[in-house]
Amino acid sequence: MNLQILGTGSALPKEVLTNKQLESIVETTDEWVKERTGIAQRHVSTGETVASLATDAAKKALDAAGKSAEDVELIIVATCSPELALPCVACQVQAEIGASKAVAFDLNAACSGFLFALNTAYSYFSSGLYKNAVIIGAEVLSKIIDWTDRGTCILFGDGAGAVYVEANNELPDNYKFVQYANGSKGMVLTCGLRDLDNPLHKEELMKKYVWMDGREIFQFAVRQVSACIEELLEKANVAKENIDYYVLHQANARIIEGISKRLKEDLSKFPTNVEHVGNMSSAAIPVLLDESIKNGTVKKGQTLVLSGFGAGLTYGASVITL
Ligand code: UT7
C-alpha cells in the first residue's frame, strides 16, 4: 500500500516573540538562547486557538491537494494543548471545513503526536477501512508555559501543520514506521490539567504549566532517536545513502546536531526551522515538511525519514518515499 502525501499546509500566529523581548520577561539573553537552542524567535498566539490554526492548516493542505473537504474520510488532530476538553479539536475542524462524512478524533502523544497520527492513518488505510485522511499537528503551547521559568519559556512556540494523505493500492509499499512509549520515564516532562475537586475530595495534583528536566530529555532524544532511526532503516531495508532528508522534531538545534553525528549523516540532510518557530510540539514536523516542500528542498520521488520524540516519553520514526 502506498501512502501518498498529496498536499501540505501550515498556519502560524501573526505575532512573533523574539529572544530580545524575552530578555525583559526572564533573566536570559538572546545569545544564550541562540547558542543553547538555535532559537531566535517563536510565534505566539494573540487570539489564535488550536482549533483555528488547525482549521487554517487543514484548508491549505486540502487546497494544495486540490481536494474537497466533503470527500475527507478521516481527520486526526495531534495536540497536547487544546482549549476545550470537549469537543475534541478534530471535531471542531470537521465542522469548520465542512467535512461532514469524516470521522474525527484527537490523539495526544506530545511531540510524537503527528507521527503517531500518521501511523494510525496508515494502519487504517492498510486495513481497508479508510482511503484518505487529513492529519494535523496543532499547538498553542504559550498558554501552558510558565513565563517565569527561563528553562522552558524560551523553547516553545505556537502553530499548526497538516497533510492530506491518500492510500493507493496500485503503487508499491512506500511507508514503514517504528513507534515507542516509555511511561516509566514520563515524569521528566509534565503539565497538570485539572485538580481533584468533587463533593468528597479536593486536592491540588500538579502544576498547571509545562515542567521538564531539560538535560534528561536532551540525552534521551539524542540517544533514542538515533537508535530508533537505525532500527527503522534496518527494518525497512533502506541504506542511509538513499535517505534524502531527515525531517525531525524541532526541539533544539543541538539535539539535531547530536543525532546527525550519531547517525554519521551530514547536517545538510537535516532541514531546520527551529530558529524562527521554536519547539511547536506536535506541529513541528508537519510545519517543517510544509516549509521544506514550499521552498523546494523536499521534492516528489525523494525518500524522507520523519522522527519525533517527547513527553510520555514517546518516540518514533517513519520512512516514506514521496
Ligand atoms: O520537545 C521536547 C521538549 N523538551 C526539550 O526538547 C528540552 C531538551 N533540552 C534542552 O533543550 C536543553 O536542556 C535546555 C535548552 C532546556 C537547557 O540547555 P542546557 O544546555 O541543558 O542548560 P542547563 O539546563 O544545563 O543549564 C545550564 C545553565 C544553568 O545555570 P548554572 O546552574 O550552570 O549556573 C541554568 O540555570 O544555564 C542556566 N539557564 C539559563 N541561562 C540563561 C537555563 N536556562 C537559561 C536561560 N538563559 N534561558
Side-chain angles (χ1 to χ4, degrees), residues 54-69:
T55 299
D56 203 1
K59 282 182 179 165
K60 288 176 181 166
L62 283 167
D63 280 353
K67 299 289 173 176
S68 161

Side-chain angles (χ1 to χ4, degrees), residues 79-97:
T79 185
C80 59
S81 57
E83 285 77 33
L84 307 180
L86 304 168
C88 68
V89 180
C91 283
Q92 297 175 67
V93 172
Q94 180 206 20
E96 284 297 321
I97 66 175

Side-chain angles (χ1 to χ4, degrees), residues 247-260:
V247 178
L248 303 190
H249 172 50
Q250 302 287 296
N252 183 324
R254 286 193 299 133
I255 292 179
I256 295 166
E257 283 162 28
I259 294 168
S260 102

Side-chain angles (χ1 to χ4, degrees), residues 40 44 74 77 92 95 118 299:
V44 169
L74 171 68
V77 174
Q92 297 175 67
L118 196 61
K299 300 179 197 70

Side-chain angles (χ1 to χ4, degrees), residues 8-15 42-61 77-79 81-83 89-90 92-93 96-97 134-143 157-163 277 280 282-283 286-287 290:
T8 60
S10 54
L12 300 172
K14 62 180 182 308
E15 295 295 335
R42 69 288 294 141
H43 288 251
V44 169
S45 169
T46 52
E48 295 90 348
T49 62
V50 174
S52 71
L53 292 168
T55 299
D56 203 1
K59 282 182 179 165
K60 288 176 181 166
V77 174
T79 185
S81 57
E83 285 77 33
V89 180
Q92 297 175 67
V93 172
E96 284 297 321
I97 66 175
V134 175
I135 308 300
I136 306 163
E139 305 287 1
V140 176
L141 298 168
S142 56
K143 64 180 178 288
D158 301 335
V163 295
V277 293
M280 300 184 295
S282 65
V287 170
D290 181 51

Side-chain angles (χ1 to χ4, degrees), residues 14-33:
K14 62 180 182 308
E15 295 295 335
V16 157
L17 183 68
T18 63
N19 292 347
K20 275 277 169 216
Q21 287 169 292
L22 276 174
E23 287 179 1
S24 61
I25 298 170
V26 286
E27 202 183 326
T28 192
T29 61
D30 179 40
E31 293 71 31
W32 192 96
V33 180

